[in-house]
Amino acid sequence: MKNVTDSFLSVGHWPSAGSFGFNTDILATNLINLSVVLGVLVFFGKGVLSDLLDNRKQRIFNTIRNSEELREGAIEQLEKARDLLRKAELEADQFRANGYSEIEREKINLINSTSKILEELENYKNETIHFEQERAINQVRQRVFQQALQEALGTLNSSLTNELHLRTISANIGIFGTMKEITD
């Protein structure tokens, strides 16, 4: 502290104690103020500054230690996640392989069942066509028979006389009687 006081005495001239006045020398007053402020800061601030720096240093060490612990935990979790990923990839490969073979089996089964269904539909179509042909043939037969009967009746009615008509009826009755005896 003696050095600080000496610096004040050597820097400038002190006015007498009885007078009050302004020092107009800007350089001298600023140097005095700065030296007083620096002296007070060094004297009183040394302990506070050292405590602040120690606290800051401790916080930095704690942060670094926590970061290291978090880093180690993250590395462990990363390794676990990699292991899980490897297992999942292996399972996915197995599922893919099984899935492809299952798809092939299903495809073959579907092709087989579809070909059976197509074969059944083809048979049904052929049966339906055959049935419709038979029905059409029967209808044509009936129409031809009806037309032949109508023409025969028309011819008979126009050319038959009563006597010829009676002989024809008698002959037909005889034919029907013979047919009846054959069927019995």
Side-chain angles (χ1 to χ4, degrees):
M1 189 69 185
K2 184 165 176 38
N3 289 340
V4 173
T5 311
D6 290 341
S7 66
F8 284 123
L9 292 174
S10 65
V11 169
H13 172 275
W14 287 88
S16 62
S19 70
F20 180 77
F22 290 107
N23 187 355
T24 57
D25 186 8
I26 294 175
L27 293 177
T29 56
N30 280 338
L31 289 176
I32 293 172
N33 290 338
L34 284 175
S35 53
V36 168
V37 169
L38 286 176
V40 169
L41 282 176
V42 168
F43 183 74
F44 291 111
K46 181 167 57 170
V48 173
L49 186 59
S50 115
D51 288 343
L52 286 173
L53 289 175
D54 288 341
N55 287 340
R56 179 69 180 146
K57 180 180 173 184
Q58 191 61 35
R59 277 188 276 160
I60 290 172
F61 284 143
N62 289 340
T63 303
I64 290 172
R65 190 175 333 116
N66 289 340
S67 297
E68 287 295 321
E69 290 172 1
L70 290 174
R71 181 180 159 273
E72 289 172 6
I75 289 172
E76 289 176 13
Q77 288 179 350
L78 179 63
E79 289 301 317
K80 288 178 184 177
R82 284 183 181 161
D83 289 340
L84 289 174
L85 178 63
R86 281 187 216 108
K87 288 178 184 176
E89 286 174 344
L90 289 175
E91 287 179 10
D93 289 341
Q94 289 174 350
F95 284 138
R96 244 184 252 119
N98 292 340
Y100 289 144
S101 62
E102 183 68 26
I103 287 171
E104 286 299 316
R105 279 194 300 271
E106 289 296 322
K107 183 174 123 181
I108 290 169
N109 290 341
L110 183 62
I111 289 171
N112 290 338
S113 68
T114 304
S115 81
K116 286 179 184 177
I117 290 171
L118 286 175
E119 185 179 325
E120 290 172 3
L121 286 174
E122 185 69 25
N123 291 339
Y124 179 72
K125 179 189 82 166
N126 291 337
E127 288 174 8
T128 304
I129 288 173
H130 180 69
F131 175 75
E132 290 296 322
Q133 284 176 344
E134 289 294 320
R135 197 172 100 191
I137 290 171
N138 286 336
Q139 286 177 352
V140 168
R141 282 182 188 163
Q142 285 178 356
R143 284 189 185 153
V144 168
F145 180 70
Q146 284 177 354
Q147 286 177 353
L149 274 177
Q150 286 176 354
E151 286 180 17
L153 283 176
T155 304
L156 283 176
N157 284 336
S158 65
S159 64
L160 282 182
T161 61
N162 280 338
E163 184 181 326
L164 187 58
H165 189 60
L166 288 174
R167 253 192 287 158
T168 306
I169 290 175
S170 296
N172 284 335
I173 289 174
I175 292 172
F176 282 133
T178 307
M179 287 175 61
K180 185 175 183 189
E181 287 174 9
I182 292 173
T183 57
D184 287 336

